[in-house]
Amino acid sequence: AVASLDALSAAGVDMRRVIVAHAQSLLGAPAALRALLATGARLCFTGAGMGWSVPGACASDHPWLSPPPDEGLAAALARLCAEGYADRLLLSLGVSSRLQLASCGGGGFGFLQRAFLPRARRHGLSAADEERITTSNAAALLCYWTPPPPPERTVRHWSCDACHRGYVEAVNEAEALPEDRVYFEKFSYRYCSTACLGAHRRAEFVQPFSAPPPPE
């Protein structure tokens, strides 16, 4: 795993945006766990409240893949935070089975707040570190996205049939701007002002026609 993260780092990936999931599987290998943290990647711990897990249910019989007891996971998280890694840790239930739902006898989605975090506090997890691993670290990971600039509005060009000055209007009414020119129409003609319309009317709408532009 460390080699993979090193390859990502060498390729220019911002390691603060990389999350290693199911990090609780490495609690039995503290050196490997800290090696991952040293890369700058974020580690997400899941598996809290999985004490019901049936032995041998994993695809591998390696002990690291068995969900750790809540007490051990809570103590490990508090210890890592105390070592200064709180800004790189995430905590999630990682719900992947109906047996984790309260309706099926599991701890439910409130298990972390109701049962797990109080246990971690007893192991020394501070309020500030608790907020980091449950809230602000996840929020920071989502801050990489910035909304794109608003698209240019779609406009139609038109000119006054009397003074021939050019203007634009929004094709979509919702994109109209206060500074868009108000126009006046008569027959198939469009005018930028009542002065231009009146001038053309006095000329009995003759074509071609041209009038001096009215004062702004």
Side-chain angles (χ1 to χ4, degrees), residues 152-173:
E152 293 187 9
R153 65 178 188 148
T154 305
V155 297
R156 181 186 297 114
H157 294 265
W158 66 277
S159 61
C160 176
D161 284 307
C163 70
H164 305 292
R165 284 187 299 190
Y167 302 96
V168 296
E169 65 172 325
V171 173
N172 302 314
E173 187 175 334

Side-chain angles (χ1 to χ4, degrees), residues 20-37 43-50 62-81 83 85 89-92 116 119-120 123 133:
V20 178
H22 307 298
Q24 73 280 357
S25 299
L26 288 175
L27 290 180
L33 190 67
R34 284 158 179 78
L36 289 177
L37 287 167
L43 270 57
C44 183
F45 291 83
T46 58
M50 295 278 284
H62 201 292
W64 291 359
L65 295 181
S66 299
D70 287 346
E71 200 69 29
L73 179 56
L77 279 171
R79 186 164 52 251
L80 288 170
C81 287
E83 293 176 16
Y85 294 115
L89 306 180
L90 299 163
L91 182 60
S92 170
F116 182 79
R119 181 177 278 116
H123 284 281
I133 67 176

Side-chain angles (χ1 to χ4, degrees), residues 91 112-113 115-122 125 130 133-134:
L91 182 60
L112 289 181
Q113 297 292 338
F116 182 79
L117 287 173
R119 181 177 278 116
R121 293 181 204 122
R122 290 195 293 272
L125 181 68
E130 178 181 325
I133 67 176
T134 60

